[in-house]
Structures are given as structure tokens and as C-alpha cells.
Amino acid sequence: MKYGITAATGHFGQVAVKELVGLVGADNVVAIARNLEKAKQLLPDDIEVRQGDYDDKNSLVSAFEGLDKVLFISSQPGGKIPRLEQHTNVVDALKEAKIKFVAYTSFPHADQAKSALASDHTATEKLIVESGIKHSFLRNNWYLENEVGFLNGEDIVYAVGNGKVGWALEREYAEGAVKVLVSGATKDVYEFAGASRSYEDLAKAVSEVYGKEINATNVASDDYKVGLEKAGLGENTIGFILMIQDLIKQGELTEETSDLADVLGHELKALPEAIKEVIGR
């Protein structure tokens, strides 16, 4: 069985590659990356690295040649071509290369999510279903690393009301993805997440890490926006942050699932310990 991992130079991809090598051996792993030189610097020396660019379907067809299963890591929006066009290239290449199974990193409850952030993922899931390729959708909740600005020991100000988030470490999501990739029995959909927690819960965990009280204060969205403007952030950045806060407020990241822990075969790292891991890098 030959396995491939796309976007292998990102942090998620690097963790996934190393985890996969540990499970199936380097000879059975192919890392696929847009920049070969960068990949060779970041990835283990003993694995095959192939060039594959989401902007170029033909490069992906070549990269997928001879592979049986592929971990398709979703791209980041804002590239030179739209993300959905990139994802369409990947799915078309998977079909052309006759890949037997694909695991795709998606968005929480992508089949019903209302956030604009979900739209590309919803469409990509549809493309994969229509392709006829056996698949698993890995609907990753939220990386704890996304909150690094709130993990610095200062008071936390947020605008999500009572919204909760299923934080877990990015590496835990990556390790879960690889476990699904190598499994002989998979589900079509995994809602991967940690336990749903509030920003007050996050503040308590940060307090434990720093040994001092960290206050968490919810404010109105307009006031939050003013604070971001005073911090000197640009209009696009502010808009993105407010969109994230709103989707949390709407409950789109609230999750009650044990899928990630079940796949990993153990409990996720406790929140204070996970915070230590993030700030210790």
C-alpha cells in the first residue's frame, strides 16, 4: 500500500508525514509539495518527495501516480487562483490517477454550516462524493494554535457570547488524519474536535499555566472591532477576526463528539498541558 500526503510542508503536513512514516515505514510514504527544495529541508530525508501544485492539475496527476490512498490537506484561501478551483484540480487529479481512497480535511459540519468559511469545503466534499472515490471527510474543529494571541498570560477579551469551541492541538488533528488514512475500516465523516469549551474555560486554563488569574471579558462586536482598530490591525484582518468570532457566537464550533479521541485511541491532551505545548515552541 502506497500513501501520499499533499501540502506536506505545512505544519499539519509535516506532522502527518512523520506520523505516517512511523506507522507504515518510509518506503510506503510519498510527500507531495509545491516547493521541492522547501520540502527537502523540512521533511525526513528517507521519504520520496514529489512536486505537486494545487494550481496545476497535471502536476498532481503525476504526483499521485502509483499511490493507493491520499491525505488531501485543504489549501488556504487567498492564493493566486480561488481555493475551490485548486480543490477541483486535486479531485480531478485523484480521479485521473485512480486513487482508491482519499481523506480530506474539511470544516465542522460542512454539510450544514452557514459560515462563509465553510463554503469551499462544502463544495469540495460534494466534488469528492460525485467522483465516486471512497473517502473520509475529516471535519476538523479549531486548532488551539489559532488562539495563540490569547495564550500569552494577558487578560482575554472576546465577542462570542456563550459560544464554545472544540479546541485541540493541530498535531492531534494531523495524527488522527493519518490513523484514518491507514485504517482498513473507515467512516465517511469524522467530526474531529476536543471538548467544547468557552473562552472563560480557556482563561482558567491559561491561569493555571501562568499561576495567576486571567480575566475573560465578553464585549459587543462593535466594541471588539474598535479594540482591534486601536491595536492597528488592517481592515481585512479585522473582518476575518470578526467573522471567526461570529461563527463561534452562532454555535458553529460547538461540538459533542469523541471521534478524534476514538481514532487516536487515547484522550486528548488536557487544555493546560496543550497550552504549554503551544507556547513552548
Side-chain angles (χ1 to χ4, degrees), residues 91-92 94-95 102 126-135:
V91 176
D92 287 346
L94 290 167
K95 287 192 294 184
V102 60
K126 185 172 184 289
L127 288 171
I128 292 172
V129 170
E130 291 172 346
S131 76
I133 300 171
K134 183 174 171 56
H135 59 269

Side-chain angles (χ1 to χ4, degrees), residues 5 37 62 124 150 259:
I5 295 179
E37 290 305 312
S62 297
T124 302
F150 288 152
D259 279 355

Side-chain angles (χ1 to χ4, degrees), residues 2 30-33 36 48-52 62-67:
K2 200 82 166 178
V30 173
I32 299 162
L36 284 179
E48 180 182 357
V49 180
R50 298 179 185 174
Q51 199 274 336
S62 297
F64 294 153
E65 183 178 356
L67 301 182

Side-chain angles (χ1 to χ4, degrees), residues 25 51 57 87 91 128 176 196-197 203 220 240 242:
Q51 199 274 336
K57 189 198 84 171
H87 286 190
V91 176
I128 292 172
S196 285
R197 297 182 173 96
F240 182 75
L242 291 174

Side-chain angles (χ1 to χ4, degrees), residues 47-62:
I47 66 164
E48 180 182 357
V49 180
R50 298 179 185 174
Q51 199 274 336
D53 189 337
Y54 286 4
D55 294 352
D56 178 6
K57 189 198 84 171
N58 291 331
S59 74
L60 295 167
V61 174
S62 297

